Structures are given as C-alpha cells and as structure tokens.
Amino acid sequence: MQNIFISLFFLIGLFGTAQTPDYSDVEFDQKEMLQLVNEARMTKRRCGGKKHDAVAPLQWSEKLAKAAQKHADDMADNDFFDHTGSDESTVVVRVERERYVWRAVGENVAMGPRSVAQAVEGWLDSPGHCSNIMNGDFTQMGAALSHSGQYWVQVFAAPRGE
C-alpha cells in the first residue's frame, strides 16, 4: 500500500505541474524590428503562393506601437492568443482608440519567439503574415512585446489622406 502512495506521489510530482516557460530575458528593440521588416520589404519575395515586388520602407508610428502594446499585454494578462482582444476589439478598433485615422490597417501576432529576429523570421515564413509585411499599401508600423515577453504584435497602417 505504501508503494502505491509513493508511486502516486511520484507521478503527481512528475505530471502534476507544468513548467511555464520563462520569457523574462526576451527583449524588444524597436529599431531592430523596423530595420528587419524594411530589409524584407526591399526584396521581391514569395509569401506562400503570392509573389510580392519590393516595396517602400515603413516609418515607425508611436500610435500604432501603443495599439500593439495594449493588445500584446491584453493577451498576456488574459492568457489568450488571437487577433480579437479580450474585449472583442479588432485591430481597427484598437488603432482608432489611439486616434489614428487610417485608410489601410493590418496586424501580425506571434507567441513564443525569443528575439526580434525570430519573430520577424516566423512572420516571413507564414504566408498571411509575410503578405502584411510586404503590403505596399502600408506606410507605417508600430510593434510591441508583451510585458510577459511571450506575445508579439505588429500593427501596419497608412494614414487617411496619404
């Protein structure tokens, strides 16, 4: 009987607690993010089955970065991964909350990359995310890493009247 309890205790100890990955060492560098995205945009590329010509570089937008930060932190705080916020907001709603008046808008999200380079590489390997990066309609970008270091968000847009 004692062996059963010891075995049960061992199994609970082995399988009962999941190790949560530590993302405390993950860092966000805005300049590196913008540089890597703009380097990608300078070259023709294929995003899945879609061909994209090289397009003009993006400019950094603090308003888009704020929208990205709030969504990244929302995902971290509420333990979900989606383009729809915990309050059912879309990227359009989040951008408009920052008083950004847009004519084109898009978003990339990622969970788990350990560096800016890994996040951008992952997006470029994904057809839809890659197409956002290569979209010539976008002229500005903001991006963020959640306070937990686990969730990444890029917001692309072009202001109305541009």
Side-chain angles (χ1 to χ4, degrees):
M1 183 75 145
Q2 186 177 9
N3 287 341
I4 293 173
F5 287 120
I6 291 171
S7 296
L8 184 59
F9 180 74
F10 176 75
L11 288 174
I12 290 171
L14 189 61
F15 298 110
T17 59
Q19 285 283 19
T20 302
D22 178 14
Y23 290 93
S24 63
D25 62 333
V26 179
E27 295 181 6
F28 178 75
D29 182 325
Q30 162 189 325
K31 289 180 184 175
E32 181 184 10
M33 175 70 74
L34 187 60
Q35 177 184 343
L36 291 173
V37 167
N38 282 336
E39 285 174 4
R41 288 171 63 92
M42 290 172 40
T43 308
K44 281 199 248 186
R45 72 178 58 245
R46 188 178 282 278
C47 299
K50 187 173 181 184
K51 292 180 183 178
H52 291 274
D53 289 327
V55 290
L58 298 169
Q59 299 297 313
W60 189 261
S61 165
E62 282 302 320
K63 288 181 179 182
L64 298 179
K66 285 180 184 176
Q69 188 68 62
K70 289 177 181 176
H71 186 53
D73 288 341
D74 181 33
M75 288 190 289
D77 291 343
N78 295 292
D79 194 29
F80 73 97
F81 180 64
D82 201 329
H83 288 282
T84 303
S86 64
D87 61 355
E88 301 300 316
S89 63
T90 64
V91 65
V92 167
V93 169
R94 293 188 291 272
V95 164
E96 290 175 348
R97 285 178 184 162
E98 299 305 321
R99 293 183 167 75
Y100 188 100
V101 181
W102 59 275
R103 69 171 171 80
V105 68
E107 178 180 73
N108 286 346
V109 296
M111 181 176 67
R114 312 264 331 160
S115 68
V116 171
Q118 285 181 1
V120 173
E121 181 180 336
W123 284 321
L124 289 172
D125 288 342
S126 165
H129 296 106
C130 177
S131 287
N132 273 343
I133 289 172
M134 297 302 296
N135 187 332
D137 290 340
F138 298 141
T139 60
Q140 298 181 339
M141 179 186 84
L145 173 65
S146 67
H147 59 77
S148 69
Q150 186 175 12
Y151 299 94
W152 300 78
V153 178
Q154 283 180 320
V155 178
F156 303 94
R160 187 174 298 149
E162 187 179 80

